[in-house]
Amino acid sequence: MSSSPAAAPVSRIRWRRGKVTAIGRSWRDALELTVEVDGDGELSALAYPSLVGVPEVGDEVLLNTTALARGLGTGGYAIVVAVPDRLPADPEGPGHLVKARYTPLQVLVQGVDEQETEHHETIAAAEDLASMPVVVADLHSALPAILIGMLATDPDLKVAYVMTDGGALPAAFSRTVTALKSSLAGVVTVGQAYGGDLEAVTLHTGLLAAKHVLGADLAIVTQGPGNLGTGTPWGFSGVAAGEACNAISVLGGLPVGALRISDADPRPRHRGVSHHSLTAFGRVALGGVALVAPRGLSSELGGQVGEDLASQPERNVVVWVDTDGLDVALGLSPVPLRTMGRGLEEERAYFLAAAAAGRYAALQVPVLEDAVGDETGTETAPADASPDEPSA
């Protein structure tokens, strides 16, 4: 009995061929190109040299233009998939962790937690984070402001960045990470994300690597650049911020939530405290998280933030933190501060909240007895909530 032929699968990629006409900026493992494409004209493209080699002017390149054509989250780039006439040499490096698994561009990396590395025994023996504070945010744009808050409070702290896989998978896509390199103890890419100074299979081993391999006093967890949202209560990639708090709690760390606060976002669900923060921290983070609200907001916005946080579960402590000096520090940021297309002047509350979370976390770092001469072994005191502002 004959069967009818299967219908052709629906294409998921908009393929184009083009010729490189100019080379642009480069950073970390990323290279900007201008590519001439028949029918589309000149396109801005991005190549990752560790994946496709180093394109040159005159090369024909194969492009994925799907998201670019739809105006979606690729940073305005077509992505170079291959330089067909000049393929790179075969990889010779160590490692057997595959990331971006089972996609056409799956990559091989060496994980900090795999058996052949010098750090395997350290990670295998590590049981907890020894109360290390970890600030969690749902957007990558919060990263520099959190770091600024930490280092403005104590410039000698070692801070690691742990990048999850809810946004861009290659760490190289982030110019922010490249610019902050000298201020970070290192970058750990976890899950399907790759390209950090250390690679880890899970967020758990990534956090342990930050503490026990990089020697960090503090860590910051966010997804890579980009955020996937559908305008539904649960359909956004920032839900993973709550799961990150659970991992931190399980490992004996101190989860600190960087709230997404805005009085500039035109969408009602993101004004005051964004529903993303309320959902991820209030409903997903089951082990409790310190939620940091910044002092220094307008009375109207501060009141709205207080109302939004009043219904947080008892396990979450709301702390209002002084922000003296943080506006100046944010104004001196080594990278442009932008979120959802808006800068520091428009989204001061957002960046101030992130910096305040960084400050609060820095104040929670345990102080060694011999460093302070304290015979009682006390640690730095938490920033208490103001008596005239809401707390829980």
Side-chain angles (χ1 to χ4, degrees):
M1 184 163 107
S2 64
S3 59
S4 57
V10 176
S11 175
R12 300 183 186 277
I13 295 178
R14 184 178 185 266
W15 296 99
R16 290 294 184 272
R17 290 182 181 271
K19 180 171 288 188
V20 178
T21 58
I23 305 296
R25 295 175 296 178
S26 64
W27 63 93
R28 205 172 175 97
D29 181 33
L31 177 64
E32 285 183 341
L33 310 169
T34 302
V35 180
E36 180 70 32
V37 176
D38 287 345
D40 288 350
E42 285 195 336
L43 302 180
S44 295
L46 193 71
Y48 299 110
S50 68
L51 273 61
V52 301
V54 182
E56 298 177 358
V57 171
D59 280 341
E60 182 181 66
V61 292
L62 185 62
L63 301 172
N64 180 335
T65 64
T66 313
L68 176 64
R70 295 285 296 275
L72 300 175
T74 61
Y77 294 113
I79 304 298
V80 177
V81 179
V83 185
D85 296 329
R86 197 157 49 79
L87 297 175
D90 291 344
E92 297 180 354
H96 70 262
L97 265 60
V98 179
K99 294 197 174 187
R101 291 183 285 277
Y102 304 105
T103 67
L105 285 179
Q106 60 184 5
V107 299
L108 197 64
V109 300
Q110 184 175 52
V112 69
D113 36 8
E114 69 175 271
Q115 290 87 341
E116 288 78 10
T117 71
E118 60 182 310
H119 306 301
H120 176 73
E121 290 186 8
T122 298
I123 298 299
E127 295 185 353
D128 60 49
L129 296 175
S131 300
M132 180 176 72
V134 182
V135 179
V136 180
D138 71 313
L139 294 180
H140 189 74
S141 56
L143 169 62
I146 295 169
L147 181 63
I148 285 168
M150 290 173 170
L151 297 183
T153 304
D154 185 345
D156 294 326
L157 292 172
K158 294 182 67 176
V159 183
Y161 171 46
V162 181
M163 182 178 129
T164 60
D165 55 12
L169 297 186
F173 186 79
S174 175
R175 289 195 294 271
T176 295
V177 167
T178 299
L180 296 177
K181 183 175 178 60
S182 63
S183 299
L184 291 168
V187 176
V188 187
T189 37
V190 305
Q192 300 283 357
Y194 62 90
D197 301 300
L198 298 175
E199 306 277 2
V201 175
T202 67
L203 176 57
H204 299 75
T205 50
L207 288 166
L208 291 170
K211 176 65 178 177
H212 298 286
V213 176
L214 295 178
D217 302 303
L218 294 158
I220 302 169
V221 175
T222 75
Q223 61 186 335
N227 178 61
L228 183 59
T230 61
T232 61
W234 295 99
F236 62 99
S237 55
V239 167
E243 300 291 4
C245 292
N246 290 335
I248 296 160
S249 296
V250 165
L251 293 172
L254 172 65
V256 178
L259 295 170
R260 184 172 170 184
I261 296 174
S262 178
D263 56 0
D265 200 302
R267 298 164 295 179
R269 65 184 184 276
H270 293 303
R271 295 180 74 86
V273 181
S274 168
H275 81 101
H276 283 185
S277 292
L278 297 175
T279 300
F281 298 134
R283 302 184 68 183
V284 181
L286 301 180
V289 53
L291 300 179
V292 178
R295 294 192 180 113
L297 301 175
S298 68
S299 58
E300 181 180 359
L301 181 56
Q304 180 64 57
V305 169
E307 290 180 18
D308 291 340
L309 295 176
S311 60
Q312 281 294 296
E314 187 175 347
R315 63 181 179 270
N316 289 347
V317 178
V318 177
V319 186
W320 290 81
V321 171
D322 285 324
T323 56
D324 294 347
L326 291 184
D327 279 300
V328 173
L330 289 169
L332 298 174
S333 172
V335 299
L337 298 177
R338 296 193 66 78
T339 185
M340 299 296 164
R342 297 182 293 273
L344 175 59
E345 184 175 346
E346 301 157 284
E347 285 284 11
R348 172 180 175 269
Y350 170 80
F351 293 109
L352 192 64
R359 167 166 286 177
Y360 175 78
L363 293 173
Q364 310 313 304
V365 175
V367 178
L368 298 178
E369 290 181 20
D370 60 358
V372 296
D374 184 355
E375 296 298 322
T376 65
T378 56
E379 298 178 356
T380 51
D384 292 326
S386 168
D388 58 353
E389 293 185 277
S391 64

